[in-house]
Amino acid sequence: IWFHLSISALYARIYFCRACARMCGMHGQHACMPACTYVRILACLPRFNPRVTGQEPPARSGHSCARHGDLCIFFGGVKDDDYLNDVHVLDARNWNWFVPHTTGTPPSARAYHAAVVCHASPAEGGGPCMLVIGGDTASSVEADVHRLDLETWEWRKGMGS
């Protein structure tokens, strides 16, 4: 059994935003535990389960989590051998999940990719964006880059416009 955690530090806390255990059987079968959202203070205080509202994403593994301000932005992953390319956001100010309405062409469904929040170049407005890089699809290993504008929620392929 191994655990995959998406972790983001906010205000001297670690938010274990999603936890999923994958149990590998004789034939590569796996099952994901139900999703749980919880917080543990760095000073090793007891765990607490905040009252979370909104549309919580299904349990998965191989997803990414990138932090932008108080937002934990989740992308993709795999659930029961189905690769995903959805976006779910947890607002840590009010513990509310939401699914942003995205435009443009999203990356293909993938897992085990990287994601990072950065700022676009000044020529492109300089706003915050999330880059999704590489990953495994159901049939291949990708080395592409996709950019999600975090103000307009528009997907674009590549680093530039």
Side-chain angles (χ1 to χ4, degrees):
I1 298 175
W2 58 269
F3 292 92
H4 173 81
L5 297 174
S6 292
I7 302 172
S8 183
L10 297 172
Y11 305 119
R13 298 178 182 179
I14 292 184
Y15 290 75
F16 295 86
C17 293
R18 310 295 294 152
C20 183
R22 183 175 179 171
M23 297 175 285
C24 298
M26 295 283 290
H27 304 287
Q29 299 171 340
H30 64 275
C32 286
M33 294 174 10
C36 69
T37 303
Y38 64 90
V39 178
R40 185 177 300 255
I41 307 297
L42 285 178
C44 298
L45 296 175
R47 177 177 88 171
F48 80 94
N49 293 325
R51 183 175 178 178
V52 180
T53 60
Q55 183 179 346
E56 187 171 321
R60 60 190 63 202
S61 63
H63 56 281
S64 61
C65 175
R67 182 181 70 84
H68 173 57
D70 290 323
L71 304 179
C72 291
I73 306 162
F74 294 83
F75 174 77
V78 62
K79 176 176 176 50
D80 301 326
D81 294 325
D82 292 325
Y83 285 78
L84 308 167
N85 68 343
D86 53 353
V87 176
H88 293 267
V89 180
L90 176 64
D91 186 336
R93 289 171 296 197
N94 57 18
W95 297 105
N96 182 61
W97 284 103
F98 67 93
V99 177
H101 173 73
T102 61
T103 60
T105 304
S108 58
R110 63 188 63 206
Y112 310 106
H113 53 279
V116 63
V117 170
C118 58
H119 282 81
S121 70
E124 296 172 329
C129 59
M130 181 177 76
L131 298 178
V132 173
I133 306 154
D136 295 345
T137 69
S139 60
S140 66
V141 175
E142 298 295 328
D144 54 357
V145 177
H146 295 265
R147 180 175 61 157
L148 178 62
D149 184 306
L150 299 178
E151 292 175 343
T152 64
W153 298 103
E154 178 184 7
W155 282 108
R156 294 184 184 179
K157 185 164 179 144
M159 299 278 292
S161 57

